Amino acid sequence: QSKGLYAIAKRTTEDLIETLASTEQLDFLSVRLGNVYGEGERPRPSRPRVSLLQRMIDMALEHRVIQVPNETHRDWTYAPDIANLFLRLVETPLLNYRLYHLVSPQHFSALELAQKIQTHLPPTKLEVSTTPLTQLRTPLKSERLQTLGFTNWTPFEIGLSQVIKAHQGVAA
């Protein structure tokens, strides 16, 4: 069990939700997001760093080369799917759980992401890192979402295509 500040904050939130639910007459829910990608991701003062996927798209568009870190699989969820899933959560009259991971079942390594971008933006070259494999964290999974019957995930290829088109439109 991790003892880092982020892990402590997550656990504290989960405990707070359980306590509120047991002492109040209201229903409480905690949701956690994984790696989100979407059409409007841009650096800003409150979050200057963009996702790995967006960094790779930026490299491909600007330099036609993607520097690929040697990373294991991450979960990837298209932002509009989160809105639809959250609506499903809010509209469900009786939820079975108090914590939900709002993540798609789509998992890709950094190399697989770069290869998918490469197919959309030829001629892009890949420069794969030779550093040892990095495991950032285990991809989030959400068996609990199955209880909601949500299966309308945007296929990654469609989401990626929309993100690239939107980014090219901004750059034009």
Side-chain angles (χ1 to χ4, degrees), residues 45-77:
S46 62
R47 188 169 178 248
R49 187 175 162 140
V50 296
S51 70
L52 173 64
L53 180 70
Q54 189 62 56
R55 290 193 310 269
M56 288 182 171
I57 291 170
D58 291 344
M59 284 185 260
L61 289 170
E62 293 172 26
H63 308 292
R64 292 296 179 196
V65 174
I66 299 174
Q67 294 176 347
V68 184
N70 194 8
E71 294 179 0
T72 59
H73 289 75
R74 296 183 189 199
D75 50 88
W76 288 98
T77 305

Short mmCIF file of all heavy atoms in Angstrom, two decimals, residues 45-77:
data_model
loop_
_atom_site.label_atom_id
_atom_site.label_comp_id
_atom_site.label_asym_id
_atom_site.label_seq_id
_atom_site.Cartn_x
_atom_site.Cartn_y
_atom_site.Cartn_z
N PRO A 45 -1.87 27.88 -17.21
CA PRO A 45 -1.16 28.14 -15.95
C PRO A 45 -1.49 27.14 -14.84
O PRO A 45 -0.61 26.74 -14.08
CB PRO A 45 -1.59 29.55 -15.57
CG PRO A 45 -1.94 30.19 -16.88
CD PRO A 45 -2.52 29.08 -17.73
N SER A 46 -2.75 26.71 -14.76
CA SER A 46 -3.12 25.79 -13.69
C SER A 46 -2.67 24.36 -13.96
O SER A 46 -2.62 23.54 -13.04
CB SER A 46 -4.64 25.82 -13.48
OG SER A 46 -5.29 25.38 -14.66
N ARG A 47 -2.37 24.04 -15.21
CA ARG A 47 -1.91 22.70 -15.57
C ARG A 47 -1.03 22.82 -16.82
O ARG A 47 -1.49 22.57 -17.94
CB ARG A 47 -3.09 21.78 -15.85
CG ARG A 47 -2.65 20.34 -16.03
CD ARG A 47 -3.86 19.40 -16.03
NE ARG A 47 -3.42 18.05 -16.25
CZ ARG A 47 -3.67 17.35 -17.35
NH1 ARG A 47 -4.39 17.87 -18.32
NH2 ARG A 47 -3.23 16.13 -17.48
N PRO A 48 0.24 23.21 -16.61
CA PRO A 48 1.10 23.45 -17.77
C PRO A 48 1.50 22.21 -18.54
O PRO A 48 1.83 22.29 -19.71
CB PRO A 48 2.34 24.13 -17.16
CG PRO A 48 2.32 23.77 -15.72
CD PRO A 48 0.89 23.51 -15.34
N ARG A 49 1.42 21.04 -17.90
CA ARG A 49 1.85 19.81 -18.57
C ARG A 49 0.63 19.10 -19.15
O ARG A 49 -0.36 18.89 -18.45
CB ARG A 49 2.55 18.92 -17.56
CG ARG A 49 3.16 17.71 -18.19
CD ARG A 49 3.93 16.93 -17.16
NE ARG A 49 4.12 15.59 -17.67
CZ ARG A 49 5.22 14.92 -17.53
NH1 ARG A 49 6.22 15.44 -16.88
NH2 ARG A 49 5.33 13.71 -18.02
N VAL A 50 0.73 18.70 -20.39
CA VAL A 50 -0.36 17.96 -21.04
C VAL A 50 -0.08 16.47 -20.96
O VAL A 50 1.02 16.05 -20.59
CB VAL A 50 -0.55 18.41 -22.51
CG1 VAL A 50 -1.00 19.88 -22.57
CG2 VAL A 50 0.70 18.21 -23.33
N SER A 51 -1.06 15.66 -21.34
CA SER A 51 -0.93 14.21 -21.28
C SER A 51 0.15 13.71 -22.24
O SER A 51 0.54 14.39 -23.19
CB SER A 51 -2.26 13.54 -21.63
OG SER A 51 -2.54 13.73 -23.02
N LEU A 52 0.60 12.50 -21.99
CA LEU A 52 1.57 11.86 -22.88
C LEU A 52 1.03 11.81 -24.31
O LEU A 52 1.74 12.10 -25.26
CB LEU A 52 1.88 10.44 -22.39
CG LEU A 52 2.75 9.60 -23.32
CD1 LEU A 52 4.13 10.22 -23.47
CD2 LEU A 52 2.85 8.17 -22.82
N LEU A 53 -0.24 11.47 -24.46
CA LEU A 53 -0.83 11.40 -25.79
C LEU A 53 -0.75 12.75 -26.50
O LEU A 53 -0.33 12.83 -27.66
CB LEU A 53 -2.29 10.94 -25.69
CG LEU A 53 -3.01 10.84 -27.02
CD1 LEU A 53 -2.47 9.68 -27.85
CD2 LEU A 53 -4.50 10.66 -26.80
N GLN A 54 -1.10 13.82 -25.81
CA GLN A 54 -1.05 15.15 -26.43
C GLN A 54 0.38 15.56 -26.74
O GLN A 54 0.64 16.16 -27.79
CB GLN A 54 -1.73 16.19 -25.54
CG GLN A 54 -1.90 17.53 -26.24
CD GLN A 54 -2.79 17.44 -27.46
OE1 GLN A 54 -3.92 17.00 -27.38
NE2 GLN A 54 -2.28 17.85 -28.60
N ARG A 55 1.32 15.23 -25.86
CA ARG A 55 2.72 15.55 -26.13
C ARG A 55 3.20 14.84 -27.40
O ARG A 55 3.91 15.42 -28.22
CB ARG A 55 3.60 15.19 -24.94
CG ARG A 55 3.39 16.09 -23.73
CD ARG A 55 4.45 15.94 -22.66
NE ARG A 55 4.77 14.60 -22.23
CZ ARG A 55 4.18 13.95 -21.22
NH1 ARG A 55 3.20 14.52 -20.55
NH2 ARG A 55 4.57 12.74 -20.89
N MET A 56 2.78 13.59 -27.56
CA MET A 56 3.18 12.83 -28.76
C MET A 56 2.55 13.43 -30.02
O MET A 56 3.22 13.53 -31.06
CB MET A 56 2.78 11.37 -28.61
CG MET A 56 3.61 10.60 -27.64
SD MET A 56 3.05 8.87 -27.63
CE MET A 56 4.32 8.12 -26.65
N ILE A 57 1.30 13.82 -29.94
CA ILE A 57 0.64 14.46 -31.09
C ILE A 57 1.36 15.75 -31.45
O ILE A 57 1.63 16.03 -32.62
CB ILE A 57 -0.86 14.70 -30.81
CG1 ILE A 57 -1.61 13.36 -30.74
CG2 ILE A 57 -1.47 15.61 -31.87
CD1 ILE A 57 -3.04 13.47 -30.24
N ASP A 58 1.68 16.55 -30.43
CA ASP A 58 2.40 17.80 -30.67
C ASP A 58 3.74 17.55 -31.36
O ASP A 58 4.09 18.24 -32.32
CB ASP A 58 2.64 18.55 -29.35
CG ASP A 58 1.36 19.10 -28.73
OD1 ASP A 58 0.33 19.18 -29.44
OD2 ASP A 58 1.40 19.43 -27.53
N MET A 59 4.49 16.54 -30.88
CA MET A 59 5.78 16.21 -31.51
C MET A 59 5.59 15.80 -32.97
O MET A 59 6.36 16.22 -33.85
CB MET A 59 6.48 15.08 -30.75
CG MET A 59 7.11 15.48 -29.45
SD MET A 59 8.04 14.10 -28.71
CE MET A 59 6.85 13.52 -27.51
N ALA A 60 4.59 14.98 -33.22
CA ALA A 60 4.35 14.49 -34.59
C ALA A 60 3.98 15.65 -35.51
O ALA A 60 4.47 15.72 -36.65
CB ALA A 60 3.25 13.44 -34.58
N LEU A 61 3.13 16.55 -35.05
CA LEU A 61 2.72 17.67 -35.89
C LEU A 61 3.82 18.69 -36.09
O LEU A 61 3.98 19.24 -37.18
CB LEU A 61 1.49 18.35 -35.29
CG LEU A 61 0.18 17.56 -35.36
CD1 LEU A 61 -0.91 18.22 -34.54
CD2 LEU A 61 -0.26 17.40 -36.81
N GLU A 62 4.62 18.94 -35.06
CA GLU A 62 5.65 19.97 -35.15
C GLU A 62 6.95 19.48 -35.77
O GLU A 62 7.61 20.22 -36.50
CB GLU A 62 5.93 20.54 -33.75
CG GLU A 62 4.75 21.31 -33.18
CD GLU A 62 4.96 21.69 -31.72
OE1 GLU A 62 6.13 21.82 -31.28
OE2 GLU A 62 3.95 21.87 -31.02
N HIS A 63 7.32 18.22 -35.48
CA HIS A 63 8.65 17.76 -35.90
C HIS A 63 8.63 16.49 -36.75
O HIS A 63 9.67 16.06 -37.22
CB HIS A 63 9.53 17.50 -34.66
CG HIS A 63 9.57 18.65 -33.72
ND1 HIS A 63 10.19 19.85 -34.01
CD2 HIS A 63 9.05 18.80 -32.47
CE1 HIS A 63 10.06 20.68 -32.99
NE2 HIS A 63 9.37 20.08 -32.05
N ARG A 64 7.47 15.86 -36.86
CA ARG A 64 7.33 14.58 -37.57
C ARG A 64 8.18 13.48 -36.94
O ARG A 64 8.58 12.53 -37.60
CB ARG A 64 7.64 14.71 -39.06
CG ARG A 64 6.64 15.54 -39.83
CD ARG A 64 5.30 14.86 -39.79
NE ARG A 64 4.30 15.66 -40.51
CZ ARG A 64 3.01 15.50 -40.40
NH1 ARG A 64 2.53 14.58 -39.62
NH2 ARG A 64 2.17 16.25 -41.07
N VAL A 65 8.50 13.65 -35.66
CA VAL A 65 9.24 12.65 -34.89
C VAL A 65 8.58 12.58 -33.52
O VAL A 65 8.27 13.60 -32.92
CB VAL A 65 10.73 13.04 -34.72
CG1 VAL A 65 11.44 12.08 -33.79
CG2 VAL A 65 11.42 13.09 -36.07
N ILE A 66 8.37 11.36 -33.04
CA ILE A 66 7.84 11.17 -31.69
C ILE A 66 8.90 10.47 -30.86
O ILE A 66 9.37 9.39 -31.22
CB ILE A 66 6.55 10.31 -31.69
CG1 ILE A 66 5.45 10.97 -32.51
CG2 ILE A 66 6.09 10.06 -30.25
CD1 ILE A 66 4.20 10.09 -32.66
N GLN A 67 9.29 11.11 -29.76
CA GLN A 67 10.21 10.48 -28.82
C GLN A 67 9.35 9.66 -27.86
O GLN A 67 8.53 10.19 -27.12
CB GLN A 67 11.01 11.53 -28.07
CG GLN A 67 11.93 12.28 -29.00
CD GLN A 67 12.68 13.40 -28.30
OE1 GLN A 67 12.35 13.79 -27.19
NE2 GLN A 67 13.69 13.92 -28.97
N VAL A 68 9.53 8.35 -27.92
CA VAL A 68 8.65 7.41 -27.21
C VAL A 68 9.33 6.92 -25.94
O VAL A 68 10.36 6.25 -26.01
CB VAL A 68 8.29 6.21 -28.11
CG1 VAL A 68 7.30 5.30 -27.40
CG2 VAL A 68 7.76 6.67 -29.45
N PRO A 69 8.76 7.23 -24.77
CA PRO A 69 9.32 6.68 -23.54
C PRO A 69 9.04 5.18 -23.45
O PRO A 69 8.08 4.68 -24.05
CB PRO A 69 8.59 7.44 -22.43
CG PRO A 69 7.32 7.89 -23.05
CD PRO A 69 7.59 8.07 -24.52
N ASN A 70 9.86 4.48 -22.74
CA ASN A 70 9.70 3.03 -22.59
C ASN A 70 8.79 2.77 -21.39
O ASN A 70 9.26 2.45 -20.30
CB ASN A 70 11.07 2.37 -22.41
CG ASN A 70 10.99 0.87 -22.59
OD1 ASN A 70 9.97 0.33 -22.99
ND2 ASN A 70 12.09 0.21 -22.30
N GLU A 71 7.49 2.97 -21.60
CA GLU A 71 6.51 2.85 -20.52
C GLU A 71 5.52 1.74 -20.81
O GLU A 71 5.19 1.46 -21.96
CB GLU A 71 5.73 4.16 -20.36
CG GLU A 71 6.57 5.30 -19.89
CD GLU A 71 5.78 6.58 -19.76
OE1 GLU A 71 4.56 6.59 -20.03
OE2 GLU A 71 6.38 7.59 -19.39
N THR A 72 5.02 1.15 -19.74
CA THR A 72 4.02 0.10 -19.86
C THR A 72 2.65 0.70 -20.14
O THR A 72 2.52 1.90 -20.35
CB THR A 72 3.97 -0.72 -18.56
OG1 THR A 72 3.65 0.17 -17.49
CG2 THR A 72 5.28 -1.41 -18.28
N HIS A 73 1.65 -0.12 -20.10
CA HIS A 73 0.29 0.28 -20.44
C HIS A 73 -0.29 1.30 -19.48
O HIS A 73 -0.02 1.27 -18.28
CB HIS A 73 -0.62 -0.95 -20.46
CG HIS A 73 -0.35 -1.84 -21.62
ND1 HIS A 73 0.75 -2.66 -21.68
CD2 HIS A 73 -1.02 -2.01 -22.77
CE1 HIS A 73 0.73 -3.31 -22.83
NE2 HIS A 73 -0.32 -2.94 -23.51
N ARG A 74 -1.12 2.19 -20.05
CA ARG A 74 -1.92 3.14 -19.30
C ARG A 74 -3.35 3.00 -19.79
O ARG A 74 -3.59 2.65 -20.94
CB ARG A 74 -1.50 4.59 -19.57
CG ARG A 74 -0.11 4.96 -19.16
CD ARG A 74 0.08 6.44 -19.44
NE ARG A 74 1.46 6.86 -19.26
CZ ARG A 74 1.81 8.12 -19.09
NH1 ARG A 74 0.90 9.06 -19.09
NH2 ARG A 74 3.07 8.44 -18.94
N ASP A 75 -4.29 3.34 -18.93
CA ASP A 75 -5.68 3.41 -19.36
C ASP A 75 -5.89 4.74 -20.07
O ASP A 75 -5.26 5.74 -19.72
CB ASP A 75 -6.63 3.30 -18.15
CG ASP A 75 -6.25 4.26 -17.03
OD1 ASP A 75 -6.72 5.41 -17.05
OD2 ASP A 75 -5.47 3.86 -16.15
N TRP A 76 -6.75 4.75 -21.09
CA TRP A 76 -7.05 5.98 -21.83
C TRP A 76 -8.55 6.11 -22.01
O TRP A 76 -9.20 5.22 -22.55
CB TRP A 76 -6.33 5.98 -23.19
CG TRP A 76 -4.87 6.17 -23.01
CD1 TRP A 76 -3.92 5.19 -23.00
CD2 TRP A 76 -4.20 7.40 -22.74
NE1 TRP A 76 -2.69 5.74 -22.75
CE2 TRP A 76 -2.82 7.10 -22.58
CE3 TRP A 76 -4.62 8.71 -22.61
CZ2 TRP A 76 -1.87 8.07 -22.30
CZ3 TRP A 76 -3.66 9.68 -22.34
CH2 TRP A 76 -2.31 9.36 -22.19
N THR A 77 -9.09 7.24 -21.57
CA THR A 77 -10.53 7.48 -21.63
C THR A 77 -10.79 8.79 -22.37
O THR A 77 -10.21 9.83 -22.04
CB THR A 77 -11.12 7.56 -20.21
OG1 THR A 77 -10.77 6.37 -19.51
CG2 THR A 77 -12.63 7.70 -20.26
#
